[in-house]
Amino acid sequence: MWVRSMMTYRFSFAMTLLSNFAATAFDFVVILLMFSQVRSLGGFSFAEVAFLYGATGTAFGLADLALGQVQRLGRRVRDGTLDTLLVRPVPVLAQVAADRFAPRRLGRVVQGLAVLVWSLVLLDVAWTPLKVALVPVMVVSGWLIYSAVMVAGGAFQMWAQDGSEVANAFTYGGNTLLQYPPVIFAQDLVRGVVYVVPLAFVNWVPALYVLGREAPAGLPDWAAFASPLVAGLFMAMAGLVWRVGIRSYRSTGS
């Protein structure tokens, strides 16, 4: 329904899609400006940083397209309209994700994918079948990891009622963090992103293997292939948190 309503005004849709593409592209413009003044960032070349940017940008864009509306759940909890979703014979998560579905968010996906493909052309890497296969696996795993964080953040709003910014710190904040090499950040922060909230498996860990660099925070080389496992664990945990959140929902009392 939301897709059909958007496509009714095709010029408006095209303009919002273009504006979304341009708005997200400004993050990459910052990187371009950096490399107009320096030849490397923490020892990473422009192509390598673009590879990191494109991988996390594409993964986050896909998650935001599919589940971005979950961040609006706090509003439904506060005004009691979540009750209408609970009485329908359709999974609540599917209804929340479809609510005001915004195809314009494809702009973020296209922009991230364009940078990723461009970086693959520029990279000077000794490609092997394993490294080639790891690139799409990394993007899909990152998509699932970001999706799990969004679902868990939505469940958190069942209790907090207005905790969207907490989830944003791990989704939008994590996306911004992972656009840059881990060597430019404090090691305590890197360890936290690897061992506490392992967002590093979105791109840092597998991407560094593709680039022929050491894994962050002392991880072994085989950890580069653990992203699907981490994504599966994240999804299972997010599903559990979501079910607990739904069961604990008590409406507005009105």
Side-chain angles (χ1 to χ4, degrees), residues 58-161:
T58 304
F60 178 74
L62 289 168
D64 191 46
L65 174 67
L67 291 167
Q69 297 304 321
V70 175
Q71 300 173 77
R72 298 164 51 90
L73 187 61
R75 182 179 303 175
R76 283 192 171 276
V77 172
R78 293 193 302 274
D79 61 22
T81 56
L82 181 61
D83 295 10
T84 61
L85 306 185
L86 292 172
V87 298
R88 294 173 182 169
V90 180
V92 177
L93 181 58
Q95 295 183 70
V96 173
D99 184 34
R100 297 185 179 276
F101 181 76
R104 68 178 183 276
R105 290 176 174 169
L106 277 169
R108 182 186 291 273
V109 179
V110 173
Q111 191 267 334
L113 187 60
V115 174
L116 178 60
V117 173
W118 186 28
S119 70
L120 292 175
V121 174
L122 297 177
L123 279 176
D124 183 17
V125 172
W127 290 102
T128 64
L130 196 57
K131 289 184 178 181
V132 171
L134 191 57
V135 173
V137 170
M138 170 178 60
V139 173
V140 173
S141 298
W143 174 12
L144 296 178
I145 291 172
Y146 277 131
S147 297
V149 174
M150 290 180 179
V151 171
F156 174 72
Q157 295 183 60
M158 299 288 186
W159 298 284
Q161 298 183 6

Side-chain angles (χ1 to χ4, degrees), residues 130 134 137-138 141 145 194-195 198 200-210 213-231:
L130 196 57
L134 191 57
V137 170
M138 170 178 60
S141 298
I145 291 172
V194 171
Y195 296 110
F201 287 88
V202 169
N203 70 335
W204 274 357
V205 180
L208 292 181
Y209 176 85
V210 172
R213 294 177 176 271
E214 292 184 2
L219 285 175
D221 291 339
W222 58 262
F225 307 98
S227 290
L229 175 61
V230 173

Side-chain angles (χ1 to χ4, degrees), residues 184-197:
I184 70 173
F185 299 105
Q187 288 305 299
D188 287 341
L189 177 61
V190 174
R191 293 189 191 97
V193 178
V194 171
Y195 296 110
V196 180
V197 184

